[in-house]
Amino acid sequence: MDKHTQQQFAENVLQYLNDSPTAYHAVENAVRMLKDHAFQELKETKKWSLHAGGRYFVVKNHSCIIAFTVGDGDLAQEGFRIIGAHTDSPSLKIKPGACVVTPDGYVKLNVEVYGGAILSTWFDRPLAVAGRVIVEQDGRLTERLIKIDKPVCIIPNLCIHLNRDCNTNCSYNKQTDILPLLSMKVEEAEKGDYLLNLIQSETGIAKADILDYELFLYEYQKGIFMGQNEEFISAPRIDNLCMVYAGLSALTELGNSGNSFKVFAAFDHEEVGSTSAQGARSGILPHILERISKNLGLTDDAYFQALANSTSISADTAHAVHPNYSDKHDPENRPVPGGGPVIKYSAAQRYSTDAFSASYFMEACKRAHVPYQKYVNRNDIVGGSTIGPALSSLTTIPTVDIGTPVLAMHSIREFGAVADNFYTKEAFRAYYEDGGSSV
Ligand code: CO
């Protein structure tokens, strides 16, 4: 695999991360990519007529997307080959009652923390605003995506002179310490309309038409290549949009080729536990798998055969060994950036990997000629979890948890290696393609 190909792929990944400040934008850009590859949109609310060789996708809540292709094989025997990921990232979310005016005349944004953000990394960064608003047009509720790609607010640090312990004892109160400074323009803010005025002037959407919003802050600075040979990426939302992009790329490159039934699912709300109508803990994926089967004429019995013949990959970023905190990791399982996708194990089933699911992923890596690594927590550290356990328990399909190794996971900027993105995409391609050992 030549360096140019890896770099080119990583450039596309970076573009996708930079263009997708929220889950809504990640789905919007996924839709564009799928349509460019002749995938056809299906509505949950409309009748479906699937046919062999078809390429389809379904969007849920504009923050979750499930794409699939109908292969030439017998679905009951082939089963589904599923790759799952998530569209959301830790952030600060704007509350209703968006502006706070202080007695000193500052206008601050009223925000709450979304997911497990490393709050210290959000300080002193120019922040922009993106998300969606709901407007009423001709008696119908319509959604409009918003991206105010300007540095409009900032959370200033308290200077060291007033906070002498800041390098040795740093903690943040989520209510009082993290509200971003937006303006000194008190008059408008006193009317409670500062944010809506900003939206109106930046997007042209009349504030009177806006019924409600879901808006998030994001770092205005874009993701970049770094390192002497540009072998690294420093970017926001690597967790988990790099996995979404790798999955979408594998699926769109292959299309409906071969016998296999390929499914790619990107869920919302992983960072807050996946329990929502569009989260991995919902019925959305089982419903769609059943609907595909019934629509293709499978009987109930054949549908359950298809499930039993299916496999799945849960793709979410993994922890590379930290160069300055190497004792935070297991002594023997020590993934590093650039070493290939990481298979994650947990005896407590915080990751769903077992020997069988790890094996079909390792076989895919071998067929793709890419390296892989393994991760397991130190016994005295609980660690994180991801969508794998939800996917496998809801669908009863074996699932392997994997991901590209990163540092600074859940920082406003995360860090990874160029090579791992391409390796993972290639492994996904090999997994989707016909071949490999059967169940
Ligand atoms: Co993640």
Side-chain angles (χ1 to χ4, degrees), residues 29-329:
N29 292 322
V31 165
R32 193 165 304 133
M33 193 167 159
L34 289 161
K35 283 184 172 168
D36 283 349
H37 290 83
F39 280 70
Q40 182 190 332
E41 179 161 13
L42 301 169
K43 298 284 186 194
E44 271 192 292
T45 50
K46 300 271 165 59
K47 188 174 162 30
W48 295 5
S49 318
L50 308 182
H51 57 80
R55 308 168 176 206
Y56 307 96
F57 69 91
V58 185
V59 169
K60 178 92 173 166
N61 187 49
H62 219 129
S63 63
C64 161
I65 187 162
I66 297 179
F68 60 92
T69 61
V70 179
D72 297 329
D74 170 10
L75 176 54
Q77 297 310 311
E78 285 288 331
F80 296 100
R81 297 182 195 207
I82 303 164
I83 296 174
H86 66 89
T87 55
D88 60 322
S89 301
S91 179
L92 300 178
K93 186 176 188 186
I94 302 176
K95 289 178 170 178
C99 293
V100 178
V101 183
T102 77
D104 303 301
Y106 293 103
V107 184
K108 300 193 291 185
L109 264 184
N110 194 13
V111 296
E112 60 178 316
V113 180
Y114 178 83
I118 303 178
L119 290 174
S120 62
T121 64
W122 283 75
F123 285 71
D124 301 327
R125 311 272 179 143
L127 301 170
V129 176
R132 67 171 174 181
V133 297
I134 304 296
V135 295
E136 195 176 330
Q137 267 175 349
D138 310 325
R140 286 178 60 107
L141 298 184
T142 318
E143 172 196 63
R144 299 275 299 273
L145 296 200
I146 280 187
K147 189 165 150 194
I148 302 174
D149 205 19
K150 276 187 179 177
V152 291
C153 58
I154 194 161
I155 311 169
N157 255 300
L158 179 58
C159 66
I160 195 166
H161 317 83
L162 303 181
N163 185 20
R164 291 283 177 196
D165 294 339
C166 68
N167 289 323
T168 48
N169 185 17
C170 123
S171 68
Y172 301 100
N173 180 298
K174 288 181 185 172
Q175 181 57 49
T176 55
D177 295 347
I178 62 157
L179 303 194
L181 169 62
L182 188 60
S183 178
M184 306 295 296
K185 205 175 171 185
V186 181
E187 265 173 53
E188 272 179 288
E190 278 174 341
K191 293 179 221 149
D193 265 6
Y194 193 93
L195 180 72
L196 293 180
N197 287 338
L198 179 73
I199 293 170
Q200 181 171 275
S201 66
E202 293 296 327
T203 66
I205 301 170
K207 67 179 178 185
D209 294 343
I210 298 174
L211 294 169
D212 206 355
Y213 55 78
E214 280 168 282
L215 297 170
F216 297 84
L217 303 184
Y218 68 98
E219 192 193 13
Y220 174 69
Q221 300 296 337
K222 303 289 178 255
I224 53 166
F225 286 116
M226 56 165 292
Q228 191 184 354
N229 301 308
E230 303 207 314
E231 67 270 42
F232 301 121
I233 290 174
S234 167
R237 301 176 294 282
I238 289 179
D239 175 7
N240 190 33
L241 296 188
C242 72
M243 294 289 84
V244 173
Y245 192 80
L248 280 171
S249 299
L251 184 66
T252 51
E253 284 176 15
L254 292 169
N256 52 288
S257 61
N259 288 331
S260 63
F261 292 73
K262 309 173 188 74
V263 180
F264 173 73
F267 303 95
D268 194 5
H269 292 139
E270 190 275 341
E271 301 295 357
V272 290
S274 295
T275 310
S276 71
Q278 49 281 344
R281 243 170 252 288
S282 74
I284 180 73
L285 182 62
H287 291 173
I288 286 179
L289 297 181
E290 184 168 355
R291 203 160 165 184
I292 295 169
S293 304
K294 299 284 166 67
N295 207 277
L296 293 172
L298 270 69
T299 61
D300 282 347
D301 194 65
Y303 166 59
F304 287 112
Q305 285 179 54
L307 281 188
N309 281 318
S310 298
T311 57
S312 154
I313 294 174
S314 153
D316 200 351
T317 48
H319 304 300
V321 169
H322 196 290
N324 296 342
Y325 301 91
S326 75
D327 62 347
K328 291 284 184 188
H329 300 261

